[in-house]
Amino acid sequence: MDFRTQIINASAESYEKFLPHISVDTVVFGFDQGSLRILLLKMNYNKEWFLPGGYVGKEEDTDEAVKRVLYERSGVKDIFLEEFAVFGNPQRSQQSFADYPDTLWNKQRFISIGYYALVNYKHVVPQPDSLSETCQWIDFKDITELNITMDHRKIISKALRTLRERLSYKPIGYNLLPDKFTLSDLQGLYETVLGKKLNRGNFYRKMKNMGILQKLDEQRKGGAHKAPDLYKFNVETYKNILQEGLNTW
Amino acid sequence: MDFRTQIINASAESYEKFLPHISVDTVVFGFDQGSLRILLLKMNYNKEWFLPGGYVGKEEDTDEAVKRVLYERSGVKDIFLEEFAVFGNPQRSQQSFADYPDTLWNKQRFISIGYYALVNYKHVVPQPDSLSETCQWIDFKDITELNITMDHRKIISKALRTLRERLSYKPIGYNLLPDKFTLSDLQGLYETVLGKKLNRGNFYRKMKNMGILQKLDEQRKGGAHKAPDLYKFNVETYKNILQEGLNTW
DNA sequence: ACAAAAGTGTTAAACGTACACCCATGA
DNA sequence: TCATGGGTGTACGTTTAACACTTTTGT
């Protein structure tokens, strides 16, 4: 079956299953080897890169829809999600699928609800959908060079801004790091998200004072030099701080 | 024409004009006489209170839709708006209009995009729509007693939480106060939004250091005691601070 | 005169930042 | 033994919070 037939068949099915005019797009952040990455797909149709996204089932919760989509793309359930913006410009997707019938599902005007997700890089097995030639982790610093579809670059950039803002009053890491991690891992994550170096000693104290870390009786062996201590998050405290935030005024 | 006919007629028209399944709801904050108020309407149909809201035209930008709705309800254009959450639970509006046909526009499942707006209380002339018996400012501290429809109470409370959070890194006031105001006015606003007293001297200095205030050569006459100085916002600086930290890479 | 308003001073605590030193330990 | 990691001390500047005092001025 060629692309065209495939797209047109999918279109009919989508009209059956989903709410029209509403889409969700997700910026999935992962962290590995000291670099921040996001999950991107590459369209068969026009070779443009785009965010994992989809549509909301007629009786489905919006958040659930995002989880479903992300499960299909990554094999991970129970992903940490947060809605961060709505992209409702009527022209935002106009140019795509010009050579398809106007009744094509994909040619509707879509209002897209932007989510970001924080996931453990190692748990993810990126899986392209039927209309994409690849789904893979892209290093954040490389995305400027990519040909990105529609307003997806704008969505990505807004997501990162939101994540950085959020970082000042809520911790991250629980969803981005493995269960056991070292202080260097955590600091590296913060440095990557914030895009700047932090002082090690101060970072150590800050984290310690927050009370979200729990030291384990293990070290990470195998590397050169001293084996670093492993930590895990104190889930109770961590979730509390997520709820309350850290107050000013 | 009775309510029923009216609602059914409006339904047909809505199918023509608007995107299905998408609504917008707005928490309009106003400030007067030291108290924070929001704009609420009371439904003719079942006497429940609800937020000013509406639907998005088939070729209309989401933000524009909200502005249009708010213009109809308040007579004010160019309102300060911010999207803060999406309410996408498929059951969120199920119970309403039980005695109407299932094809009624209003009985669709709606995903609602939540906005909050900050407006100058005095510029607003609340106007009920054709299905409401009233549209009026409600003091924030009185809303607990009201019978509020669907999940609108949740929407309101989430809006206030977002506004408070925002207050810690961005100024408010420009959209909530008259052009000319006193320092007490401004401090009262902050105290009301935050729900606690602030120290006058420190507040004065903080505002002064922010550089967003411009002292006028006028005082507010007429009250007892010393006439307070009037200020206005330095719009340049104010808007700069609103943007601050939002760098695209 | 009185009370509200504007503006300033002062102080202690809290916090962020920078740097530097100690010890432990795996290869 | 040396590079890395963990942990702590200390010093400095900035910010915040709390409080108090002064001066101005409208009624």
Side-chain angles (χ1 to χ4, degrees):
Chain A
M1 190 159 61
D2 67 356
F3 291 159
R4 194 174 178 88
T5 318
Q6 227 176 311
I7 287 184
I8 289 175
N9 286 353
S11 171
E13 201 186 329
S14 293
Y15 276 110
E16 289 286 310
K17 285 164 62 179
F18 300 122
L19 296 174
H21 302 296
I22 300 167
S23 61
V24 293
D25 282 301
T26 312
V27 182
V28 183
F29 290 104
F31 182 71
D32 186 58
Q33 321 253 78
S35 74
L36 192 65
R37 304 176 183 203
I38 63 173
L39 215 48
L40 285 177
L41 293 103
K42 191 175 188 177
M43 234 178 276
N44 263 327
Y45 168 67
N46 60 6
K47 312 296 179 196
E48 288 179 337
W49 292 89
F50 66 104
L51 290 166
Y55 310 106
V56 182
K58 288 185 174 171
E59 297 300 331
E60 187 181 34
D61 189 278
T62 331
D63 291 358
E64 292 307 319
V66 180
K67 284 183 184 164
R68 172 178 50 76
V69 169
L70 292 188
Y71 177 61
E72 288 166 12
R73 286 304 127 260
S74 72
V76 182
K77 290 189 175 179
D78 280 325
I79 285 183
F80 176 86
L81 279 182
E82 229 162 58
E83 187 263 331
F84 69 93
V86 170
F87 301 86
N89 185 302
Q91 269 81 47
R92 56 181 290 276
S93 51
Q94 213 174 43
Q95 70 277 31
S96 281
F97 297 99
D99 49 339
Y100 280 80
D102 283 350
T103 55
L104 190 79
W105 169 266
N106 309 263
K107 283 183 86 169
Q108 286 177 79
R109 177 235 171 137
F110 283 108
I111 292 179
S112 190
I113 307 174
Y115 282 79
Y116 67 85
L118 307 180
V119 302
N120 185 331
Y121 180 85
K122 292 201 189 300
H123 293 174
V124 168
V125 184
Q127 272 150 4
D129 61 25
S130 57
L131 304 176
S132 310
E133 63 178 55
T134 182
C135 174
Q136 62 190 86
W137 286 109
I138 305 283
D139 197 314
F140 218 87
K141 62 176 186 294
D142 297 331
I143 66 167
T144 35
E145 297 148 31
L146 299 183
N147 180 17
I148 293 179
T149 200
M150 300 194 284
D151 56 356
H152 284 206
R153 191 185 295 281
K154 184 178 156 194
I155 297 177
I156 294 167
S157 125
K158 174 83 177 166
L160 182 63
R161 260 181 288 150
T162 309
L163 182 60
R164 281 189 180 157
E165 220 168 82
R166 181 199 147 87
L167 197 53
S168 58
Y169 55 98
K170 286 179 179 177
I172 61 168
Y174 180 57
N175 314 279
L176 283 164
L177 292 172
D179 286 350
K180 300 172 183 182
F181 52 90
T182 68
L183 276 177
S184 305
D185 292 341
L186 186 61
Q187 182 172 347
L189 170 61
Y190 270 75
E191 289 177 343
T192 309
V193 172
L194 291 172
K196 62 176 177 185
K197 290 275 165 227
L198 301 172
N199 178 282
R200 192 184 52 80
N202 298 334
F203 183 80
Y204 167 77
R205 256 174 301 221
K206 179 154 188 163
M207 288 301 143
K208 188 174 180 177
N209 291 338
M210 256 200 257
I212 57 175
L213 291 184
Q214 194 174 318
K215 192 175 184 166
L216 300 172
D217 275 342
E218 292 176 72
Q219 286 81 33
R220 173 179 297 162
K221 309 270 184 181
H225 317 302
K226 182 187 174 185
D229 296 351
L230 286 169
Y231 289 79
K232 65 171 188 172
F233 283 106
N234 180 335
V235 185
E236 303 287 312
T237 327
Y238 190 98
K239 300 229 158 145
N240 260 344
I241 296 185
L242 282 195
Q243 292 271 322
E244 305 297 324
L246 306 170
N247 294 337
T248 343
W249 286 90
Chain B
M1 188 158 63
D2 66 356
F3 290 159
R4 195 175 177 88
T5 319
Q6 226 176 312
I7 286 183
I8 289 174
N9 286 352
S11 171
E13 201 185 328
S14 293
Y15 276 110
E16 288 285 309
K17 285 162 63 179
F18 300 122
L19 296 175
H21 303 296
I22 301 167
S23 61
V24 293
D25 282 301
T26 313
V27 181
V28 183
F29 290 105
F31 182 70
D32 187 57
Q33 322 253 79
S35 74
L36 192 66
R37 303 174 185 207
I38 64 172
L39 215 49
L40 286 178
L41 293 103
K42 191 175 185 178
M43 235 178 274
N44 263 328
Y45 168 66
N46 61 5
K47 311 297 178 194
E48 287 180 338
W49 291 89
F50 66 103
L51 290 166
Y55 310 107
V56 182
K58 289 187 174 170
E59 297 300 331
E60 188 181 32
D61 189 277
T62 332
D63 290 359
E64 292 307 319
V66 179
K67 284 184 183 163
R68 172 178 50 74
V69 169
L70 291 187
Y71 177 62
E72 288 165 11
R73 289 301 130 261
S74 71
V76 183
K77 290 187 176 181
D78 280 325
I79 285 181
F80 176 87
L81 279 182
E82 230 162 58
E83 187 260 333
F84 69 93
V86 169
F87 301 86
N89 184 302
Q91 270 80 47
R92 58 181 288 277
S93 52
Q94 211 174 44
Q95 70 277 31
S96 281
F97 297 100
D99 50 340
Y100 281 79
D102 282 351
T103 55
L104 190 80
W105 170 265
N106 309 262
K107 284 183 84 169
Q108 286 177 78
R109 179 236 171 135
F110 283 108
I111 291 179
S112 191
I113 307 174
Y115 282 79
Y116 67 86
L118 307 179
V119 302
N120 184 331
Y121 179 85
K122 292 199 190 300
H123 292 175
V124 168
V125 185
Q127 273 152 3
D129 61 25
S130 57
L131 304 177
S132 310
E133 64 179 55
T134 181
C135 174
Q136 62 190 86
W137 287 109
I138 305 284
D139 196 315
F140 217 88
K141 63 177 186 292
D142 297 332
I143 65 168
T144 34
E145 297 146 32
L146 298 182
N147 179 17
I148 294 180
T149 198
M150 301 191 285
D151 56 355
H152 284 205
R153 189 185 298 281
K154 183 178 156 195
I155 297 177
I156 295 167
S157 107
K158 174 83 177 169
L160 182 62
R161 254 179 294 146
T162 308
L163 183 60
R164 281 191 180 153
E165 220 169 83
R166 182 198 147 86
L167 197 55
S168 59
Y169 57 98
K170 287 179 179 175
I172 61 168
Y174 179 58
N175 313 279
L176 284 163
L177 292 172
D179 285 351
K180 301 170 181 183
F181 54 88
T182 69
L183 276 176
S184 305
D185 291 341
L186 186 60
Q187 183 173 346
L189 170 61
Y190 270 74
E191 289 177 343
T192 309
V193 172
L194 292 171
K196 62 177 175 183
K197 290 275 163 224
L198 301 171
N199 178 281
R200 193 186 52 77
N202 297 335
F203 183 81
Y204 166 78
R205 257 175 300 220
K206 178 150 190 163
M207 287 301 143
K208 188 172 179 177
N209 291 338
M210 254 199 259
I212 57 175
L213 292 183
Q214 192 173 322
K215 193 176 184 167
L216 301 171
D217 275 342
E218 291 176 75
Q219 286 79 35
R220 174 180 295 163
K221 310 270 182 181
H225 317 302
K226 180 187 174 184
D229 297 351
L230 285 169
Y231 290 80
K232 65 171 187 172
F233 283 107
N234 181 335
V235 185
E236 303 289 311
T237 327
Y238 190 98
K239 301 227 158 146
N240 264 343
I241 296 186
L242 282 194
Q243 297 285 333
E244 197 172 294
L246 310 183
N247 31 352
T248 358
W249 78 90

